[in-house]
Amino acid sequence: MNIKKTVLLPLITAGLLAAAPGVMAAKFKMALGDAAGGTQWELGQTFKTLFEKKAAGKHTVDLFPNGQLGDEQNTVNNAALGTLDFSVLAINNVTPFSPTVGVLTLPYVIQSAEDAKKLTQGPLGKELTENTIRDAGVRIVGWAYSGFRVLTNSKKPVTTVADLKGMVIRVPKNEIMIATYQAWGINPTPMAWSETFTALQQGVVDGQDNPYITVSAMKFNEVQKYITNVRYLFSLEPLIVSESVFQDQKPEVQKAILEAGMEATEHSYKYLLETEDKIKKDLAAKGMQISDAADGEKEFIEKATKAVWPKFYESIGGKAKLDQALKSLGR
């Protein structure tokens, strides 16, 4: 008897079965950039509950918060390769892989939670989902609505563009967000999300921007003192699934993923409306000083839209794409 062949054949057979389409592990992994307690976690947990119910116990989802499976941009790469199943991440970390999604991150395009819902769940949102499949190898199956990214810092109250002078502000590695701060007169510091808390704690950077719920979930009140209510960017956090993983599933599992994603999205929208004011009051009670931008944010708006919008017309698919978004919002 050929002992090598006897041993190897079962191993080869097992490997082929593991790689065969439709033969998938019953347990999916979902990466989350944020800590437990934020909108990413809320979306992920809701999706998990809904999906597992729809899958009748045949599939489960394990959540890995706080960047345990890598920084947010790495999770897009891993999902594209099929080595990660799901990820919930900030929209600005999808944009480098699928630039047309950038229309949702242009400063001051989205001016309310209702605007965010209309764009993501309307025709434009469906188009952008198709683009991410084509460009990045991932499919958007849900959205977390996290609110406007407010500016926090450890130095002083900021109410005007001039107040930003001399400050070191962390931003994601996103060209649109970098260009927005440059339009306001400073060069921000691009930095991975996983490094941000430590950088704030050690004074490597003075501030950052994120929604109230993220500021709370990440305990930024421990390293930041001041908040400015700027509304330049509404934080959208898509739930993506690896397109190769999705296509490997049976039709009924694909259906369960899509339905759970839609239902979790609706839950996320309601969750934002119900919790943001409570979180704002809680952060104030913990000692954070909250200010509004002067003059209804007029100077911030004028500088950002004038300098940033034209710079990114080409990457988002042309000025007509921005016009389409604005028209759908009645502007």
Side-chain angles (χ1 to χ4, degrees):
M1 177 185 289
N2 188 326
I3 296 175
K4 288 184 178 179
K5 186 178 289 186
T6 304
V7 173
L8 286 175
L9 275 175
L11 293 174
I12 294 169
T13 303
L16 289 172
L17 282 171
V23 182
M24 300 298 294
K27 186 175 288 188
F28 294 114
K29 288 185 178 180
M30 181 187 293
L32 297 95
D34 288 354
T39 46
Q40 289 190 3
W41 177 263
E42 188 70 19
L43 180 75
Q45 275 288 105
T46 304
F47 175 86
K48 168 184 168 69
T49 300
L50 292 166
F51 172 71
E52 290 179 354
K53 184 177 180 180
K54 293 175 187 293
K58 295 179 181 178
H59 294 279
T60 60
V61 181
D62 285 343
L63 273 58
F64 295 84
N66 217 20
Q68 292 180 55
L69 300 184
D71 69 47
E72 292 191 346
Q73 289 193 14
N74 282 343
T75 68
V76 180
N77 275 323
N78 293 339
L81 293 170
T83 58
L84 175 66
D85 306 308
F86 294 94
S87 179
V88 184
L89 67 163
I91 188 69
N92 47 269
N93 286 319
V94 176
T95 306
F97 303 93
S98 188
T100 59
V101 176
V103 71
L104 298 176
T105 67
L106 286 176
Y108 299 103
V109 167
I110 296 175
Q111 297 187 359
S112 68
E114 185 179 359
D115 283 355
K117 185 176 182 180
K118 282 182 180 178
L119 289 180
T120 54
Q121 297 187 32
L124 181 61
K126 291 181 175 63
E127 179 184 332
L128 296 177
T129 294
E130 291 301 317
N131 290 352
T132 61
I133 296 171
R134 178 196 68 204
D135 300 336
V138 299
R139 176 185 294 258
I140 298 172
V141 295
W143 295 90
Y145 300 100
S146 299
F148 287 102
R149 295 179 73 107
V150 296
L151 174 66
T152 72
N153 82 89
S154 60
K155 297 295 185 183
K156 63 181 180 180
V158 172
T159 60
T160 68
V161 170
D163 290 334
L164 289 171
K165 187 176 181 180
M167 283 196 175
V168 181
I169 304 295
R170 175 268 173 189
V171 294
K173 298 171 184 177
N174 176 273
E175 291 185 6
I176 293 175
M177 297 174 74
I178 292 169
T180 299
Y181 277 93
Q182 289 174 338
W184 292 336
I186 65 170
N187 284 313
T189 300
M191 182 179 290
W193 181 230
S194 58
E195 301 169 10
T196 301
F197 186 92
T198 301
L200 292 168
Q201 188 177 46
Q202 296 177 350
V204 175
V205 294
D206 301 318
Q208 60 85 50
D209 65 57
N210 260 292
Y212 275 106
I213 195 163
T214 305
V215 173
S216 175
M218 298 301 294
K219 301 186 187 304
F220 283 157
N221 57 287
E222 296 178 0
V223 291
Q224 300 277 269
K225 173 69 176 176
Y226 304 98
I227 295 178
T228 305
N229 287 321
V230 290
R231 302 167 67 83
Y232 85 103
L233 179 58
F234 189 98
S235 186
L236 295 163
E237 301 181 282
L239 165 59
I240 61 171
V241 61
S242 165
E243 182 64 10
S244 61
V245 170
F246 181 80
Q247 292 300 336
D248 278 344
Q249 304 310 310
K250 294 178 180 179
E252 59 268 28
V253 178
Q254 292 182 348
K255 183 172 181 283
I257 290 172
L258 296 175
E259 288 181 351
M262 286 190 292
E263 292 171 28
T265 296
E266 190 59 37
H267 171 81
S268 177
Y269 184 75
K270 293 176 182 176
Y271 180 77
L272 170 66
L273 300 183
E274 292 168 358
T275 60
E276 189 174 53
D277 282 343
K278 296 175 186 175
I279 290 169
K280 190 185 301 186
K281 290 175 182 175
D282 179 62
L283 289 171
K286 289 177 178 177
M288 297 200 79
Q289 182 177 319
I290 302 173
S291 305
D292 291 324
D295 197 20
E297 214 171 327
K298 183 178 178 181
E299 187 182 14
F300 287 90
I301 294 170
E302 288 180 351
K303 287 181 177 292
T305 55
K306 183 178 180 180
V308 179
W309 284 9
K311 187 175 180 179
F312 292 93
Y313 286 155
E314 184 176 351
S315 67
I316 65 170
K319 183 177 181 295
K321 192 60 58 185
L322 174 59
D323 292 340
Q324 177 190 347
L326 296 175
K327 185 178 179 181
S328 70
L329 299 173
R331 305 206 323 258

